[in-house]
Amino acid sequence: GAVVSQHPSWVICKSGTSVKIECRSLDFQATTMFWYRQFPKQSLMLMATSNEGSKATYEQGVEKDKFLINHASLTLSTLTVTSAHPEDSSFYICSAYQGARGANVLTFGAGSRLTVL
Amino acid sequence: QKEVEQNSGPLSVPEGAIASLNCTYSDRGSQSFFWYRQYSGKSPELIMSIYSNGDKEDGRFTAQLNKASQYVSLLIRDSQPSDSATYLCAVNPAAGNKLTFGGGTRVLVKP
């Protein structure tokens, strides 16, 4: 089945630094990927839709200058949390549709747990 | 009103019993419906997808969809302790491909 690989699985950083999270589709091409954030005991909240070769589409309330998304190829999207602060500590999960093979089934990466000190 | 609503639980069921989870959605034009299971600290994994009214069975899981009443449910038969997790209902609205998730229902299966 389709596999979405996410790296790193966890990261700890100091306040004010930037962190990059990678999301790769391993056996399929993904023109669109989605980035979610999940705080403890809460559901997934869509942050942005990453579009290959064009600008990402951000959900209301998500700062595009803070959460930089780059989708430079059909298999890779990156999320950079710039000038991270403790309130950015969360579980970040990317996802992609399998496309024609899998109808509109969304496959998730394993997630990246960010802790900002 | 939230777009996709679920009872947060926890829903406590004895081992071997049936767990029944419900989900309601607000967008009447929604076309695709999904149930994901999420273990603590892990990302969601797809259990079932359903697109048309009625029941869909897959092993111990049965999804039920009623578009007229705007609800989708998930039954887990012969519940096992390993079924203890949070179950997320997700709906694909009529416009676009962005899934909207409910808040999730936490299920606890007690031996």
Side-chain angles (χ1 to χ4, degrees), chain A residues 4-22:
Chain A
V4 175
S5 174
Q6 198 171 335
H7 177 82
S9 56
W10 60 269
V11 58
I12 301 173
C13 70
K14 292 182 178 180
S15 184
T17 60
S18 295
V19 174
K20 179 185 285 187
I21 301 170
E22 293 187 348

Side-chain angles (χ1 to χ4, degrees), chain A residues 34 36 38 41-44 46 49 57 59 91 93 97 102-111 113, chain B residues 6 32 34 36 38 40-46 49 51 88 92 97-104 106:
Chain A
F34 301 91
Y36 289 85
Q38 187 176 37
K41 299 189 184 300
Q42 295 186 25
S43 190
L44 282 78
L46 180 65
T49 303
T57 305
E59 296 300 301
F91 191 43
I93 315 173
Y97 282 109
N104 58 342
V105 174
L106 198 63
T107 300
F108 286 90
R113 188 164 301 282
Chain B
Q6 296 180 253
S32 310
F34 306 88
Y36 285 84
Q38 186 177 25
S40 180
K42 303 294 184 181
S43 67
E45 54 180 329
L46 182 69
S49 59
Y51 306 98
L88 300 167
N92 196 334
N97 275 334
K98 295 187 295 185
L99 277 189
T100 300
F101 285 85
R106 185 171 166 227

Side-chain angles (χ1 to χ4, degrees), chain B residues 3-108:
Chain B
E3 294 180 52
V4 180
E5 295 207 50
Q6 296 180 253
N7 187 316
S8 62
L11 175 65
S12 184
V13 296
E15 183 175 359
I18 297 175
S20 178
L21 292 77
N22 295 315
C23 170
T24 58
Y25 59 94
S26 60
D27 187 338
R28 184 171 288 277
S30 298
Q31 299 295 321
S32 310
F33 308 86
F34 306 88
W35 283 100
Y36 285 84
R37 177 176 62 197
Q38 186 177 25
Y39 292 112
S40 180
K42 303 294 184 181
S43 67
E45 54 180 329
L46 182 69
I47 298 176
M48 294 280 288
S49 59
I50 188 166
Y51 306 98
S52 54
N53 283 327
D55 295 359
K56 179 181 178 182
E57 186 175 316
D58 184 358
R60 295 186 295 111
F61 299 98
T62 299
Q64 299 172 318
L65 175 61
N66 185 321
K67 289 186 179 181
S69 300
Q70 294 175 240
Y71 83 78
V72 55
S73 63
L74 179 70
L75 298 178
I76 307 173
R77 290 182 300 281
D78 188 23
S79 296
Q80 302 297 309
S82 59
D83 294 327
S84 297
T86 296
Y87 290 79
L88 300 167
C89 172
V91 176
N92 196 334
N97 275 334
K98 295 187 295 185
L99 277 189
T100 300
F101 285 85
T105 297
R106 185 171 166 227
V107 173
L108 295 174

Side-chain angles (χ1 to χ4, degrees), chain A residues 1-110:
Chain A
V3 176
V4 175
S5 174
Q6 198 171 335
H7 177 82
S9 56
W10 60 269
V11 58
I12 301 173
C13 70
K14 292 182 178 180
S15 184
T17 60
S18 295
V19 174
K20 179 185 285 187
I21 301 170
E22 293 187 348
C23 179
R24 294 180 184 274
S25 55
L26 295 186
D27 55 356
F28 65 101
Q29 294 181 333
T31 56
T32 302
M33 292 185 176
F34 301 91
W35 287 95
Y36 289 85
R37 179 169 55 183
Q38 187 176 37
F39 292 107
K41 299 189 184 300
Q42 295 186 25
S43 190
L44 282 78
M45 295 301 295
L46 180 65
M47 298 176 65
T49 303
S50 174
N51 305 299
E52 187 269 333
S54 64
K55 292 182 179 180
T57 305
Y58 290 82
E59 296 300 301
Q60 190 174 9
V62 178
E63 299 176 58
K64 59 180 172 59
D65 294 330
K66 180 170 183 63
F67 299 99
L68 301 179
I69 292 174
N70 184 281
H71 195 151
S73 76
L74 287 171
T75 60
L76 173 64
S77 174
T78 61
L79 168 68
T80 301
V81 183
T82 63
S83 186
H85 288 92
E87 58 265 31
D88 298 323
S89 299
S90 187
F91 191 43
Y92 292 86
I93 315 173
C94 71
S95 62
Y97 282 109
Q98 291 176 248
R101 285 189 300 153
N104 58 342
V105 174
L106 198 63
T107 300
F108 286 90

